[in-house]
Amino acid sequence: MADSISVDLCARARETLHFDVTEVIVPGADGVFTVRPGHTALLSTLIPGVVLAYMNNSGEQHFAVSGGFAEVKDDHVLILSDAFEAGDEIDVARAEAAHERAESRLRKPGEDTDLARAEASLNRATARLSAQAKKYVSRGPARNP
Amino acid sequence: MASLRDIKRRIESVKNTQKITKAMKMVAASKLRRAQEAIIRARPYAYEMRKLINSLVARADRDLHPLLRPGGGGKVGIVVITSDRGLCGSFNASIVNFTMRTLQETFSGRDVELTLVGRKGIEAMKRRSCTVRESFMTTQFEGQLHRGAAAIIDDIVRDFMQGGTDEVYCLYNEFKSAVQQTVILERLLPFEPGMPEDEAPPLDYLYEPTQEEVFDALLVKHLHVQMHRVLHESAASEYGARMTAMDSATRNAGDVIDRLTLQYNRARQDAITTELIEVISGAEAL
């Protein structure tokens, strides 16, 4: 069994990021899960959240993902997400503005407010803010009853 | 023979047209470059997604998900992608012609419903007797092609799930290079079990939350991503076609200007000669 796993982060409009980790934590729709070498094959949907990667030799890195899918197979994790951002490249002001906007939309929904969309955008903004702050916030399953 | 002033005026007018076509060519060229970059960035995502879907669908049971088997409505759906704006050579004409040919040959005798994207396609189909299910303008996407792709796909999937269509295809210009675009007919639904890339034995995934939910989300997402790629391909093709068309228009305008200038010079020479003859014969008469 290998002692590291390779991760591919793939998004709609940017280059695929490839790196090796000893452990990676992924925000699955059914709850956050950790992948270590030797993990069983898994296919999960993701919710907006933070991917925390423990790099082989360069510490840990946080990524905000906007949801999507994760495939775990043969010590390889493929994360397909519409968008991802590394914690360091997130523009805090913009993320905060998006957070604010989504929150006020949810507080005072107008006639034509798309609640699902506002909530999704709130979740994405939260994910980006926590990835930027290098916090790992486990929010558990984000499913409406 | 046209008078000197007429010719001069025509030269000026052709020059103005040439300026416009030249500007349009430049604009198309710079947009093409951006569209090309967008395609290159969009491809890995679409490719990884397709790989995952292929390996999944090849192993999956067809009864697992409604999107994996024919819808059962007996109808065929085709998404035809054109552009909103003209002046791009045969870009739109070739799509429209291909559509008509497909309707007559591949799907002759079948009930076909079109989903039209782009004003040019909508206008062209209005003049022909086709059943149009839904039309979209590319400008209404406002540069957010993924929103547009989602709108198109959601509409198609809804219809498919309700048993409206048996199968759905997509017809678009695939971007080969700035001077070459090919019209492509691609099947969207139901999913074809392509060959998985690796010949590994069937793999049983653990599905989270459940297999149904993963399939639901993944299949629709895959369609979104493919349609997003297709819209990008079409946009890049449009700019490529416009660039080529405007380039040859500029060159043609140059030819016309050369010809008119020659005509103008001849006329001027003529006028001078006539005047000279008049002066000389006038002097001789004295």
Side-chain angles (χ1 to χ4, degrees), chain A residues 8 10-16 28-31 33 39-45 68-69 71-74 78 80-83 117 124 143, chain B residues 38 41-46 48-49 52 55-56 59 146-147 198 203-210 213-215 217-219 221-222 225 228:
Chain A
D8 272 324
C10 196
R12 183 167 50 215
R14 58 181 294 176
E15 259 169 60
T16 302
D30 244 7
F33 59 88
H39 198 288
T40 180
L42 168 83
L43 191 61
S44 172
T45 54
F69 305 91
E71 183 205 34
V72 183
K73 193 173 86 180
D74 306 332
L78 171 68
L80 289 168
S81 167
D82 274 354
R117 209 170 128 189
R124 281 198 305 271
R143 279 198 277 167
Chain B
R41 268 180 289 135
R43 266 180 193 157
Y45 191 40
E48 291 291 348
M49 191 73 105
L52 181 59
S55 87
L56 217 54
R59 289 166 186 141
H146 61 279
R147 293 251 165 84
D198 44 358
L203 195 71
D204 248 335
Y205 286 104
L206 220 70
Y207 291 95
E208 251 181 58
T210 61
E213 278 179 79
V214 170
F215 264 73
L218 194 58
L219 293 180
K221 188 82 220 175
H222 172 68
V225 172
H228 181 241

Side-chain angles (χ1 to χ4, degrees), chain B residues 88-194:
Chain B
C88 44
S90 61
F91 178 83
N92 289 309
S94 59
I95 278 275
V96 170
N97 290 341
F98 196 96
T99 310
M100 296 322 283
R101 227 179 21 249
T102 313
L103 290 186
Q104 278 154 17
E105 288 164 18
T106 321
F107 300 122
S108 70
R110 299 196 59 180
D111 211 355
V112 180
E113 261 183 0
L114 300 178
T115 298
L116 301 174
V117 181
R119 192 166 57 88
K120 286 287 161 184
I122 299 170
E123 277 170 7
M125 289 306 162
K126 220 185 274 168
R127 281 179 262 120
R128 299 170 166 85
S129 51
C130 297
T131 330
V132 177
R133 165 174 172 70
E134 189 69 69
S135 357
F136 298 89
M137 300 277 248
T138 54
T139 35
Q140 85 193 34
F141 305 151
E142 288 158 7
Q144 303 233 293
L145 289 189
H146 61 279
R147 293 251 165 84
I152 296 166
I153 289 297
D154 290 346
D155 177 61
I156 288 169
V157 169
R158 210 178 307 125
D159 187 47
F160 188 84
M161 298 281 258
Q162 285 166 0
T165 39
D166 248 352
E167 36 193 348
V168 182
Y169 294 83
C170 179
L171 236 171
Y172 66 100
N173 268 303
E174 192 191 41
F175 181 77
K176 288 260 196 267
S177 73
V179 286
Q180 201 199 352
Q181 298 90 31
T182 1
V183 180
I184 291 230
L185 182 69
E186 212 174 75
R187 175 144 119 185
L188 292 175
L189 283 172
F191 282 91
E192 274 169 297

Side-chain angles (χ1 to χ4, degrees), chain B residues 82 223 225 247 257 269 278:
Chain B
T82 54
L223 290 176
V225 172
D247 185 50
I257 291 172
Q269 204 65 54
E278 273 166 17

Side-chain angles (χ1 to χ4, degrees), chain B residues 1 4 7 11 254-270:
Chain B
M1 189 124 190
L4 272 183
I7 299 176
I11 291 177
D255 290 348
V256 171
I257 291 172
D258 286 350
R259 223 178 41 240
L260 285 174
T261 313
L262 194 70
Q263 222 178 70
Y264 176 79
N265 286 342
R266 275 212 194 111
R268 192 173 54 101
Q269 204 65 54
D270 253 12

